[in-house]
Amino acid sequence: MTPLVRIQREDFDIGAEIAALTRGNASIGAVVSFAGLCRDESGRLDALELEHYPGMAEAEIERVAAEAAKRWPLSGLVAIHRFGLIRPGEQIVLVIATSSHRREAFEAADFLMDYLKTRAPFWKREHLADGTLGGWVEAKADDDDSARRWETNR
Amino acid sequence: MRLVYFAWVRERIGLTDETVMPPAGTTTIADLVRWLKTRGEGYELAFENEAIVRAAIDQTHAKPATSITGAREIAFFPPMTGG
């Protein structure tokens, strides 16, 4: 199973991605998907600007996806991350994991998101509703803690 | 070697990328940062809190003690905030 990783400016269609991943594979019993959306932060935000490191972004998510595929018996794995200007309500990131049983798919998707957030080279900058350019979003210690769970907890 | 910068590191330095020839004896990421900080205010500001700036050598995460020998591209950037 080769994980599918895409870094793109364009939006994605969750239903189409799930259909492509499961079509013709009747051994799949579980599909877990996670989509991350841009929030409006109570009306404060006009958009998020996502900067990335082309090349390394793909390579790093591919490394993380390969690690997930090694740790859980998956039949399919997808990670899509957008860059550029993203408005509140729009999709930023998508992870899909498929497997025979649900536990593996849940865990693999959770793992992939935790590692993607702490290792993939993307940075978010706020564009504010009043028309001004906001600051760079700071990394959260929570995300590091969440990723650290997987070091001991398999 | 080629250096590339992202997010606020890029803004503080004022460049997206540059090609440099660090002095002899610059063997690790930490050495490189020490030398970069002598190159002007923007660099000093970018690396004022060295511990939080991340580095990658040829698109793989690297630590301050990692050797830069043979590196083609070294990137500096803030902690990641994707997802």
Side-chain angles (χ1 to χ4, degrees):
Chain A
M1 190 274 295
T2 307
L4 184 151
V5 173
R6 293 209 313 264
I7 311 294
Q8 61 190 40
R9 188 181 287 279
E10 305 72 39
D11 196 11
F12 48 79
D13 178 338
I14 301 177
E17 298 298 336
I18 290 176
L21 196 59
T22 55
R23 190 175 298 127
N25 188 344
S27 72
I28 295 173
V31 178
V32 169
S33 67
F34 169 84
L37 311 186
C38 176
R39 290 182 302 262
D40 70 354
E41 302 291 357
S42 312
R44 195 173 57 81
L45 216 62
D46 178 52
L48 277 179
E49 184 181 344
L50 272 116
E51 179 172 335
H52 75 301
Y53 183 175
M56 182 175 171
E58 287 88 344
E60 198 57 40
I61 296 179
E62 277 166 12
R63 279 192 278 269
V64 173
E67 171 71 19
K70 205 165 68 187
R71 288 175 69 150
W72 290 278
L74 306 173
S75 46
L77 192 58
V78 170
I80 300 173
H81 204 304
R82 294 177 66 198
F83 62 88
L85 208 62
I86 295 175
R87 305 278 173 189
E90 290 184 4
Q91 307 180 117
I92 299 174
V93 62
L94 175 67
V95 159
I96 309 170
T98 62
S99 57
S100 297
H101 303 285
R102 74 181 186 283
R103 186 60 53 205
E104 295 90 322
F106 271 122
E107 289 188 0
D110 200 12
F111 169 92
L112 191 52
M113 273 312 300
D114 278 341
Y115 273 71
L116 188 153
K117 282 191 87 91
T118 52
R119 281 173 37 181
F122 287 85
W123 303 275
K124 288 188 184 119
R125 156 166 254 179
E126 295 185 336
H127 288 237
L128 305 179
D130 65 8
T132 61
L133 192 57
W136 293 94
V137 174
E138 278 194 45
K140 292 190 194 74
D142 282 5
D143 290 332
D144 289 323
D145 292 343
S146 193
R148 219 168 281 130
R149 287 180 304 152
W150 303 103
E151 290 170 17
T152 49
N153 187 8
R154 304 189 62 130
Chain B
M1 66 184 61
R2 182 165 181 261
L3 303 184
V4 293
Y5 308 115
F6 294 96
W8 54 252
V9 172
R10 167 177 53 74
E11 289 181 339
R12 289 179 187 183
I13 291 174
L15 293 171
T16 57
D17 63 275
E18 61 181 325
T19 299
V20 298
M21 285 279 283
T26 309
T27 59
T28 64
I29 290 286
D31 293 339
L32 182 61
V33 169
R34 201 171 306 123
W35 174 67
L36 286 172
K37 285 172 81 170
T38 67
R39 301 184 73 221
E41 258 178 57
Y43 293 91
E44 216 167 302
L45 188 62
F47 294 104
E48 70 180 344
N49 185 354
E50 281 178 38
I52 67 167
V53 178
R54 309 293 177 89
I57 297 177
D58 295 332
Q59 307 194 344
T60 302
H61 290 294
K63 295 206 159 28
T66 306
S67 167
I68 61 169
T69 305
R72 291 182 304 277
E73 181 177 284
I74 300 181
F76 290 102
F77 43 76
M80 290 69 75
T81 54

